[in-house]
Amino acid sequence: AVAAAGRLRAKRAARASGPSAEDQRRVILLARIGGMSHEEVSAAMGRSVLATRSLLARAMARLAVLLEE
């Protein structure tokens, strides 16, 4: 029970810290390079359509900043 509680806290902390660079890379690859619809990206990533739309917007904004550097 203690180990399970620790894993749950770690999972929540990871979610609270925002999307990982890997998640952002993947959503860009699927949606922009792969040409998948939001519904297809959602299914592939195991997230809601709203979550993947939001992730894609943040990923594209981050990419724009990185490209400016």
Side-chain angles (χ1 to χ4, degrees):
V2 173
R7 284 191 301 272
L8 181 60
R9 279 194 301 275
K11 192 174 189 178
R12 285 182 182 157
R15 241 184 293 146
S17 66
S20 71
E22 176 59 27
D23 285 343
Q24 290 183 347
R25 183 187 72 80
R26 186 170 180 218
V27 76
I28 289 172
L29 286 173
L30 294 173
R32 293 296 185 248
I33 297 169
M36 294 173 81
S37 70
H38 289 291
E39 291 75 16
E40 292 168 325
V41 173
S42 171
M45 296 188 72
R47 296 174 180 221
S48 70
V49 172
L50 182 60
T52 54
R53 282 179 183 264
S54 178
L55 177 61
L56 181 59
R58 288 191 306 270
M60 294 301 290
R62 179 174 175 259
L63 181 59
V65 169
L66 291 173
L67 291 174
E68 288 178 1
E69 293 179 352

